[in-house]
């Protein structure tokens, strides 16, 4: 396969924002131009669940996933579609939305340092909500298969990560129960 055909095939698998170069069409050919995006970090930041990890451990985990940039309003996860990755928002703001007849209703905002996609890591299924970038965002993601590799290779770190993810899920469940209780009290 020639490089002329390889580039379009590669581009189909990654969002355009994942590339540090932008392309424009001039005089019958594509030309690369540099963007002013910051380079990807070498290691995941020590915040939230990862606060208990030292730099070497975070570097190890970083190697099992990949960094992806999203433009504002670009969809990260589509509700109702297969989803097998765990995500960590490094920079930006995302919003989680649930499809309803005639549009979408907001579920909540995802801030830098927060994880999402954890439900389908624990119980593989279709995505229960849509996640879209509210602002330009940098996300690190790890597939279920790569997470399993990490757990098998680094079981102690894997346990710490899973305990942290379980805490995230528990907090979100408690928040949902509190909102349901509040709605229930209003309806009486």
């Amino acid at each position: 396969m020639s490089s002329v055909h390889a580039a379009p095939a590669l581009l189909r698998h990654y969002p355009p924002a994942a590339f540090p170069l932008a392309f424009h069409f001039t005089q019958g050919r594509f030309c690369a131009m540099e963007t002013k995006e910051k380079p990807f970090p070498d290691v995941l930041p020590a915040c939230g669940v990862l606060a208990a990890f030292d730099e070497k451990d975070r570097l190890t985990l970083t190697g099992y996933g990949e960094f992806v940039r999203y433009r504002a309003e670009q969809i990260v996860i589509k509700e109702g579609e297969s989803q097998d990755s765990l995500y960590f928002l490094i920079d930006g703001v995302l919003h989680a939305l649930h499809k309803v007849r005639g549009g979408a209703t907001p579920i909540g905002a995802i801030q830098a340092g927060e994880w999402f996609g954890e439900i389908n890591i624990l119980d593989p299924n279709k995505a229960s909500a849509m996640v879209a970038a509210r602002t330009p965002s940098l996300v690190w993601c790890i597939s279920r298969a790569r997470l399993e590799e990490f757990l098998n290779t680094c079981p102690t770190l894997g346990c710490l990560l899973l305990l942290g993810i379980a805490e995230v899920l528990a907090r979100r469940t408690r928040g949902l129960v509190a909102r349901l209780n509040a709605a229930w009290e209003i309806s009486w």
Side-chain angles (χ1 to χ4, degrees), residues 38-180:
K38 295 184 267 182
F40 291 138
D42 293 328
V43 63
L44 291 165
C47 61
V49 170
L50 298 179
F53 285 51
D54 65 25
E55 185 170 359
K56 180 179 168 240
D57 296 340
R58 287 183 285 109
L59 183 60
T60 299
L61 177 59
T62 301
Y64 281 86
E66 64 183 353
F67 293 96
V68 182
R69 291 188 201 285
Y70 292 94
R71 297 179 311 275
E73 301 309 315
Q74 188 174 2
I75 295 173
V76 179
I77 296 175
K78 291 182 181 178
E79 183 175 353
E81 293 191 5
S82 293
Q83 198 292 106
D84 77 339
S85 294
L86 177 65
Y87 299 84
F88 182 66
L89 180 59
I90 296 182
D91 188 34
V93 178
L94 306 173
H95 45 190
L97 306 156
H98 180 65
K99 284 191 249 178
V100 294
R101 192 175 15 214
T105 185
I107 296 171
I110 301 168
Q111 306 291 331
E114 292 185 328
W115 294 85
F116 60 102
E118 72 283 349
I119 292 174
N120 281 354
I121 286 294
L122 301 173
D123 181 26
N125 208 324
K126 296 186 187 287
S128 58
M130 175 175 74
V131 175
R134 185 178 291 172
T135 65
S137 300
L138 177 61
V139 173
W140 178 84
C141 62
I142 184 170
S143 69
R144 182 183 173 93
R146 292 291 286 163
L147 179 61
E148 287 175 4
E149 284 180 45
F150 174 72
L151 295 171
N152 289 324
T153 305
C154 309
T156 303
L157 294 176
C159 284
L160 287 174
L161 179 63
L162 288 179
L163 282 172
I165 298 302
E167 288 175 11
V168 168
L169 195 52
R171 264 194 314 276
R172 289 186 179 153
T173 301
R174 284 192 184 113
L176 177 61
V177 169
R179 286 192 298 191
L180 288 172

